[in-house]
Amino acid sequence: MAEKSFTVLDLLDFDLKGHNSLNLRCLCGRSGLGREITLPDLNRPGLALSGFFESFGYQRVQVFGRGETAYLEKLIQGGILDNVHHLFSYHIPCCVFTHNLVPPKVFTGLADAAGCPVLQTDLESTDFSGRLLRLFSDIFAPRKSIHGVLVEVYGIGIIILGDSGVGKSETALELVHRGHRLVADDIVNIRCVNGNVLLGQGANKMISHHMEVRGLGIINIQQLYGVGAIREQKEVQMVVKLEEWDAQKVYDRLGTSQKTEELLGVKIPALEIPVKPGRNIPIILETAAMNERLKTMGYHSARDFNQNVLRWIESGEAQTASHGGYDSY
């Protein structure tokens, strides 16, 4: 469900551009523009117009294409209005007529009386449905705010986590200086789209590309490094946790086992990077990003190395090399 109410008026006011535009306009029923849309789906009301109201998805946006509109006109011409009256007895969010179709006056009169908005678009039904569902997927997506820094490194979206003062912002600043891009610093809003894609962006577009560096203060990355150094949003494809070096802790030195972090029900690769003087964390993150790209292409460096070692041992070359070593003394 959406974090805040989403109304028909919000749907009309959405400023979508290009191939995302819905091209909607209100024909009647303006008193109901405050009706909430609670389900991210749509319904074609052909069965309801024929009198079958079992499992009628009245909570959804009702889309009238050419078939539904032609059948509606036939009902009205025949004076069969019971099903139309019954349709508006439900609390429908709104009705949308595609193809620039004009609903019959009887229909708009009933819609006005019921306070149900009737909208019109010049898009075809299939095109409009696809655009509307994409918008709903974004509006109703589960969301979460995380304290961290989101950067894009070699096309991989990496969210850097860690305790305050561990060096998250400084690491991101060095990555930007090396030609990578900042998405958000401090607070990252993450939403899950289509059930398996995590998109991250700044909590506030006005300040998301500013960065706080201790001893330096607030800096504007866009002004310092140019518009090419920032992104509005990016898919989160890796989690990196920075932590102070702990001599008692055993860190992964082979990388044969893949750790994951679960965010909003989606598991993504995760790394724990110990921080101490002398370690170049930005270079490590660049290497991690390139290594992750190799994994997506089907090549796993650590597993390939492990398999090569096993084949070397099984071939007997390891024993020969060992004996050769002793013979050389």
Coordinates of all heavy atoms in Angstrom, one line a residue, residues 13 40 46 52 55 72 116 127 178 181 215 257 268 293-294:
D13 N -3.0 15.2 -11.8 CA -2.0 16.2 -11.7 C -0.6 15.7 -11.9 O 0.4 16.5 -12.0 CB -2.1 16.8 -10.2 CG -3.3 17.7 -10.1 OD1 -3.8 18.1 -11.1 OD2 -3.6 18.0 -8.9
P40 N -3.4 -1.0 -6.8 CA -2.6 -0.7 -7.9 C -2.9 -1.6 -9.1 O -2.1 -2.3 -9.6 CB -1.1 -0.9 -7.4 CG -1.3 -2.0 -6.4 CD -2.6 -1.8 -5.8
G46 N -16.6 -5.0 -18.6 CA -17.5 -5.6 -19.5 C -18.5 -6.6 -18.9 O -19.7 -6.5 -19.2
F52 N -23.1 -9.3 -14.6 CA -22.4 -10.2 -13.7 C -21.5 -9.4 -12.7 O -20.4 -8.9 -13.1 CB -21.5 -11.2 -14.5 CG -20.8 -12.3 -13.7 CD1 -21.5 -13.4 -13.3 CD2 -19.5 -12.1 -13.3 CE1 -20.9 -14.4 -12.5 CE2 -18.9 -13.1 -12.6 CZ -19.6 -14.2 -12.2
S55 N -17.4 -10.9 -7.8 CA -16.0 -10.6 -7.9 C -15.7 -9.4 -8.7 O -14.7 -9.2 -9.3 CB -15.2 -11.8 -8.4 OG -15.4 -13.0 -7.7
L72 N -21.9 -0.4 -24.0 CA -22.6 0.6 -23.2 C -23.6 1.4 -24.0 O -24.7 1.6 -23.6 CB -21.6 1.5 -22.5 CG -22.1 2.7 -21.7 CD1 -22.9 2.1 -20.5 CD2 -21.0 3.6 -21.2
C116 N -18.8 10.1 -9.3 CA -17.7 9.2 -9.8 C -17.0 10.0 -11.0 O -17.7 10.2 -12.0 CB -18.2 7.9 -10.3 SG -17.0 6.8 -11.0
D127 N -1.9 0.5 -24.4 CA -0.9 1.5 -24.1 C -1.2 2.2 -22.8 O -0.3 2.3 -21.9 CB -0.7 2.5 -25.2 CG 0.5 3.3 -25.1 OD1 1.4 3.0 -24.3 OD2 0.7 4.3 -25.9
R178 N 37.1 10.2 -8.8 CA 37.7 9.3 -9.7 C 36.7 9.0 -10.9 O 37.0 8.2 -11.8 CB 38.0 7.9 -9.0 CG 39.0 8.1 -8.0 CD 39.1 6.8 -7.1 NE 39.6 5.7 -7.8 CZ 40.9 5.4 -7.9 NH1 41.8 6.1 -7.3 NH2 41.3 4.3 -8.6
R181 N 29.6 8.4 -9.9 CA 28.5 9.3 -9.6 C 27.9 9.1 -8.3 O 27.7 8.0 -7.8 CB 27.5 9.2 -10.8 CG 28.1 9.6 -12.1 CD 27.0 9.8 -13.1 NE 26.5 8.6 -13.7 CZ 25.6 8.5 -14.7 NH1 25.1 9.7 -15.2 NH2 25.2 7.4 -15.2
G215 N 35.2 18.5 9.0 CA 36.3 19.3 8.8 C 36.2 20.3 7.6 O 37.0 21.2 7.5
S257 N 32.1 -17.8 -1.0 CA 30.7 -17.8 -0.5 C 30.1 -16.4 -0.6 O 30.8 -15.4 -0.2 CB 30.6 -18.3 1.0 OG 31.4 -17.4 1.8
I268 N 20.3 -9.0 -2.0 CA 21.3 -8.4 -2.9 C 22.7 -8.7 -2.3 O 22.8 -8.9 -1.1 CB 21.1 -6.9 -3.1 CG1 21.1 -6.2 -1.8 CG2 19.9 -6.6 -3.9 CD1 21.0 -4.7 -2.0
R293 N 30.1 -7.1 -11.8 CA 29.7 -7.1 -13.2 C 30.2 -8.4 -13.9 O 29.4 -9.0 -14.7 CB 30.3 -5.9 -13.9 CG 29.8 -4.6 -13.5 CD 30.2 -3.5 -14.5 NE 29.6 -3.7 -15.8 CZ 29.8 -2.8 -16.8 NH1 30.6 -1.7 -16.6 NH2 29.3 -3.0 -18.0
L294 N 31.3 -8.9 -13.5 CA 31.8 -10.2 -14.1 C 30.8 -11.3 -13.6 O 30.5 -12.2 -14.4 CB 33.2 -10.5 -13.6 CG 34.4 -9.8 -14.4 CD1 35.7 -10.2 -13.7 CD2 34.3 -10.3 -15.8

